[in-house]
Amino acid sequence: MAEQNRLLLAGGFAPRYPHRATDDDALAPVMAGLRSLLDAHAPYPALLLDDHWGIVDANEPVDGLLDGCDRSLLEPPLNVIRLCLHPRGLAPRIRNLPVWRAHLLHQLGRRITHTGGDPALVALRDEVTAYASGDGPSVRPLADPVVPLEIDAGGHVLRFFSVASQIESASDVTLNGLHLETFVPADDRTRQTLSR
């Protein structure tokens, strides 16, 4: 939708799709519904992200994962890829950082291709690839059926896989760019730890 609007504007036409702020009254029912999905996913972490991986909203369990992150990384605008890969963010606590880093960079590359080289996404990729990884080759393990996130939290190693979903019927640019990223326990130990 955003790309169609850009093309229309470039041709001298009015944009077809509205682009409202997330706090616009017209979006309030949808945003409230998305908030209820975030809350319902507790005790597991869930995030509402924009099309640049900016955090729009998150449920309470996400707060527990952010302990120990540099305060400057937690100031808006908060970007989940930067937060995961920054050496003062979650990176030191991610047990399988080479694999998770490769996964995130792959997702970022796909979105850059899909958007025709969105400058903000290209800048984000350049920034996060410049971080010293120091974590060896980025290879995907063949043993796991999905790419897990393995993170130290509160004295436990938690293992998650993520599921992203979008609003299929969106007719607003903002809503079309949102996706709900839910983290599901990848093993019984994680499920039991978070259920306590």
Side-chain angles (χ1 to χ4, degrees):
M1 289 180 188
E3 184 60 28
Q4 288 179 40
N5 279 354
R6 279 192 288 275
L7 289 172
L8 287 168
L9 285 168
F13 298 99
R16 176 176 181 183
Y17 300 103
H19 189 171
R20 302 173 181 97
T22 55
D23 61 355
D24 188 287
D25 288 344
L27 300 187
V30 178
M31 297 305 292
L34 293 171
R35 177 73 232 180
S36 68
L37 289 173
L38 290 171
D39 291 338
H41 194 65
Y44 312 127
L47 304 149
L48 182 62
L49 304 172
D50 66 19
D51 54 358
H52 292 99
W53 282 280
I55 299 176
V56 175
D57 202 356
N59 67 3
E60 193 175 324
V62 170
D63 294 342
L65 295 180
L66 302 181
D67 286 344
C69 290
D70 188 292
R71 286 207 170 292
S72 65
L73 295 172
L74 301 178
E75 296 294 325
L78 212 80
N79 184 279
V80 75
I81 291 183
R82 179 179 296 116
L83 194 59
C84 280
L85 300 181
H86 198 284
R88 293 188 320 269
L90 294 173
R93 293 185 17 237
I94 296 176
R95 287 280 184 98
N96 61 335
L97 184 59
V99 172
W100 192 247
R101 183 176 192 271
H103 168 68
L104 292 180
L105 291 176
H106 174 74
Q107 295 298 316
L108 184 53
R110 281 181 42 193
R111 191 163 302 169
I112 288 170
T113 300
H114 178 73
T115 61
D118 180 318
L121 293 174
V122 171
L124 177 62
R125 180 192 60 200
D126 292 346
E127 176 190 340
V128 299
T129 54
Y131 299 153
S133 63
D135 42 43
S138 298
V139 287
R140 184 175 175 174
L142 299 176
D144 291 309
V146 293
V147 178
L149 168 63
E150 298 175 355
I151 187 165
D152 289 322
H156 301 279
V157 176
L158 303 177
R159 295 184 80 238
F160 299 102
F161 66 92
S162 67
V163 177
S165 55
Q166 290 183 285
I167 300 172
E168 289 294 324
S169 59
S171 61
D172 178 275
V173 174
T174 300
L175 293 179
N176 189 60
L178 295 180
H179 64 280
L180 190 65
E181 190 92 16
T182 55
F183 288 86
V184 180
D187 60 26
D188 286 335
R189 181 180 296 171
T190 300
R191 186 181 334 280
Q192 291 165 6
T193 298
L194 292 178
S195 294
R196 287 193 298 258

